[in-house]
Amino acid sequence: MPATTFTPRALLLDMDGTLVNSDAVVERCWLRWAEENGLDPDEVLRVAHGRQGHATMAVLLPDRPVEVNLAENERMLAEEKADTEGVVPVPGAPAFLAALAGLPHALVTSADAPLARIRMAAADLPLPPVLVTAESVGASKPDPEGFLKGAAALGFAPADCLAFEDSAAGIAAALAAGMPVIGIGPRAAAHRPTAHAATLESVTVTAGPTTFAVTLA
């Protein structure tokens, strides 16, 4: 298969599942929550990836008051911040982020800022210079607000950006923001990203004067 090359001016990067493998923590927390609420664990995990916690709860328990979801979301965030066992970089993430040093890029994550810092540190990955976290937006992915804010913070039009995502909600958010998206990992393949890479190991970044080349082997 021939290589696919994009020439963006900035990159917008999801965290969980894209740079950091935090599936072990996510699954532990959400399986406990599923059991507490009498829900099918497989259905909970299908919905949970990529969204803010309270947004996941709203999808799964649509008749429950918002304030209950927000309160349980705070409890779950505390659990997630205290649990870093099994948090590791996605294959290729260290070299990929090293290649982005000095290039415009931002983290666009459904985690809040403290959790983002904890997980990136646990995976021994450098934080991008711009963070768009749960506190930055009024609507969770799949709403495009986070990606639009990331592009604006870097000073580029959405069409000049390239997103990296792993989840259905994240891929939908990036596409709705008007930017191409590279799906990373097995979870992404089914959700029609613009292009797909099994891991970040197959992604090469080459700097240019005004754009840079991102090539998928």
Side-chain angles (χ1 to χ4, degrees):
M1 182 182 294
T4 301
T5 299
F6 296 85
T7 54
R9 300 180 70 188
L11 297 187
L12 301 176
L13 313 172
D14 175 51
M15 182 180 69
D16 294 302
T18 300
L19 299 174
V20 173
N21 182 346
S22 58
D23 282 2
V25 179
V26 171
E27 290 181 9
R28 280 194 292 272
C29 291
W30 281 104
L31 289 177
R32 281 196 298 269
W33 185 87
E35 184 176 2
E36 291 168 2
N37 289 277
L39 297 174
D40 174 31
D42 290 336
E43 175 64 11
V44 170
L45 292 180
R46 187 187 68 78
V47 175
H49 291 289
R51 290 179 169 86
Q52 292 182 36
H54 63 84
T56 295
M57 294 170 191
V59 170
L60 293 164
L61 296 172
D63 297 326
R64 199 163 70 158
V66 172
E67 57 269 22
V68 175
N69 292 339
L70 291 173
E72 287 200 2
N73 184 60
E74 288 303 311
R75 187 195 74 180
M76 186 172 288
L77 281 171
E79 291 175 358
E80 290 183 290
K81 289 166 190 169
D83 184 357
T84 58
E85 184 178 351
V87 175
V88 295
V90 166
F96 173 73
L97 286 172
L100 297 186
L103 300 176
H105 64 290
L107 194 72
V108 181
T109 175
S110 293
D112 66 9
L115 181 58
R117 291 188 172 93
I118 286 168
R119 284 196 175 153
M120 292 291 281
D124 197 24
L125 295 174
L127 277 172
V130 172
L131 303 182
V132 179
T133 60
E135 305 94 329
S136 310
V137 299
S140 172
K141 299 172 185 176
D143 190 282
E145 182 183 1
F147 284 109
L148 293 173
K149 285 195 169 180
L154 293 173
F156 296 103
D160 289 329
C161 299
L162 177 63
F164 283 72
E165 267 287 359
D166 74 298
S167 69
I171 290 167
L175 292 174
M179 60 188 67
V181 55
I182 295 177
I184 299 296
R187 192 159 44 229
H191 303 299
R192 299 186 178 180
T194 311
H196 179 258
T199 74
L200 287 170
E201 292 171 309
S202 61
V203 179
T204 302
V205 178
T206 307
T210 58
T211 63
F212 46 97
V214 178
T215 302
L216 281 62

